[in-house]
Amino acid sequence: MEVCTRDRDFKKLDIIDNFHSCIWTERYYGDSVVELVVPATSSMIKKLPNGIFLCIDQSDELMILETKGIEDGKLKCLGISVLSWLNNRFVRASSKHDARWWRIVGLKPGHVLWNIVEKMCTANSPYLNGTINTGITNPQQLAIPGLGLFDYDKSGSNITVAVPYGPVYDALRKIAVTHRLGMQIILLENSLGFRSYKGLTRTSAQTALPVVRFSPQMDSLIDIKELDSITALKTAVWAFAPGLIPKTLQTTPGVSRLAGEEYTGFDLRAEMIFAEDIDTDPNDDLTQAEVRTLLKA
């Protein structure tokens, strides 16, 4: 197995050939993980910073390292798939502060999955290129560089879904589990491709194929002594106030950013929150400027 890191343009950086173990676990619904254990040297720590892409020659999937820990002179690195990293993007299709759902009408389940990724994460989206106003200033910054379509499952009947506003991957997974569709984001030369597909069931719910069972004792991603982690890190947060009264009162959302450099692409780890406690009751006489100031706080 060849393990290597890649830069933000998906080009190879370093081959990690001196490792104790590498457990690469690909999962049907796209929440794949990797555990890499290497000597805890300054060289290895420098080669494996949090946020670096990791790949192996036996897989088309790409992982992102999120957490590092040191135990007994060994550096243990944990990563997640690019697909599950999409929880650093959010579903939003309206500028109205009280809006909570995005309705997708008349598409196959596999196409619905791609539609969410395309509209909420790619540069060609009308929601991210400014054609449709979502209340986000400069929405282009949320587009993920190099992300496009590889393929999507075309089976099943057309469906209509109400996608809740919130993290992208969480929304994808609910639909994928409901319709039993697999998902991946795979590496295509120097770009990324989303795919959804329908696999064969190997659970005990069927008898046509041999059953595959996994033991909980095989889970290696436990009892980690954490050194540092970016799993919960967000570099930009947009705050909406769904309690605005009257509903016609318009204001842009509040924005909070991590101080320092201007974060873009995979370094822009975005989140949307609802400030439920901020409203504009007529007795309060809050102006748009005052609401925005509260949302920034």
Side-chain angles (χ1 to χ4, degrees):
M1 176 191 296
E2 180 182 275
V3 182
C4 71
T5 57
R6 290 181 181 261
D7 64 16
R8 286 291 184 259
D9 294 320
F10 316 117
K11 296 176 182 177
K12 282 188 178 182
L13 288 174
D14 297 302
I15 295 177
I16 310 300
D17 53 4
N18 184 22
F19 58 87
H20 297 290
S21 66
C22 180
I23 302 174
W24 189 276
T25 307
E26 297 185 6
R27 293 174 176 154
Y28 187 62
Y29 295 120
D31 50 336
S32 304
V33 292
V34 61
E35 177 192 276
L36 178 67
V37 180
V38 297
T41 63
S42 58
S43 174
M44 280 298 185
I45 292 173
K46 186 177 180 180
K47 288 180 179 179
L48 296 168
N50 283 333
I52 196 76
F53 290 130
L54 197 70
C55 67
I56 61 173
D57 58 345
Q58 298 173 15
S59 173
D60 292 327
E61 275 204 74
L62 198 63
M63 304 281 192
I64 301 178
L65 293 187
E66 296 266 288
T67 301
K68 295 199 300 288
I70 294 179
E71 287 185 70
D72 301 325
K74 297 176 182 178
L75 178 67
K76 186 175 291 188
C77 305
L78 304 181
I80 61 173
S81 67
V82 170
L83 184 61
S84 54
W85 184 93
L86 293 189
N87 268 350
N88 289 290
R89 294 296 182 268
F90 50 80
V91 174
R92 184 163 196 95
S94 171
S95 61
K96 295 179 180 178
H97 277 245
D98 63 328
R100 298 284 192 139
W101 303 86
W102 175 38
R103 194 163 178 257
I104 300 177
V105 181
L107 297 179
K108 306 285 188 184
H111 195 181
V112 169
L113 296 175
W114 164 241
N115 196 49
I116 294 172
V117 174
E118 179 187 26
K119 296 299 192 297
M120 298 299 136
C121 299
T122 71
N124 294 328
S125 165
Y127 298 101
L128 298 189
N129 65 19
T131 303
I132 299 175
N133 181 19
T134 63
I136 304 294
T137 303
N138 184 23
Q140 296 92 336
Q141 65 187 301
L142 295 172
I144 295 177
L147 178 59
L149 174 65
F150 178 69
D151 195 13
Y152 64 82
D153 180 74
K154 301 172 181 64
S155 64
S157 302
N158 288 351
I159 62 172
T160 294
V161 295
V163 184
Y165 286 2
V168 167
Y169 176 71
D170 287 350
L172 292 171
R173 197 178 195 284
K174 289 178 182 177
I175 297 169
V177 170
T178 298
H179 297 278
R180 298 182 179 180
L181 292 176
M183 301 182 292
Q184 281 182 317
I185 288 180
I186 60 176
L187 185 61
L188 305 168
E189 295 294 333
N190 293 320
S191 64
L192 299 174
F194 172 85
R195 68 181 288 247
S196 62
Y197 60 96
K198 188 164 287 186
L200 300 174
T201 176
R202 296 280 187 149
T203 69
S204 56
Q206 54 82 43
T207 57
L209 297 169
V211 173
V212 175
R213 285 188 174 90
F214 295 95
S215 168
Q217 283 73 34
M218 296 300 291
D219 188 355
S220 60
L221 304 182
I222 57 176
D223 192 30
I224 302 301
K225 291 182 175 63
E226 184 178 302
L227 176 64
D228 67 296
S229 175
I230 59 171
T231 299
L233 173 68
K234 301 299 175 186
T235 56
V237 178
W238 281 265
F240 288 82
L244 293 179
I245 302 172
K247 301 300 183 184
T248 54
L249 178 62
Q250 296 292 317
T251 181
T252 52
V255 184
S256 178
R257 296 181 182 277
L258 191 67
E261 61 184 288
E262 186 68 24
Y263 294 93
T264 60
F266 280 96
D267 297 310
L268 175 59
R269 302 170 68 92
E271 184 177 30
M272 174 187 61
I273 63 172
F274 293 108
E276 305 283 0
D277 58 336
I278 297 178
D279 59 36
T280 50
D281 188 282
N283 296 323
D284 292 338
D285 295 326
L286 288 176
T287 66
Q288 294 183 32
E290 289 170 330
V291 170
R292 181 165 170 76
T293 298
L294 289 171
L295 288 172
K296 284 184 174 182

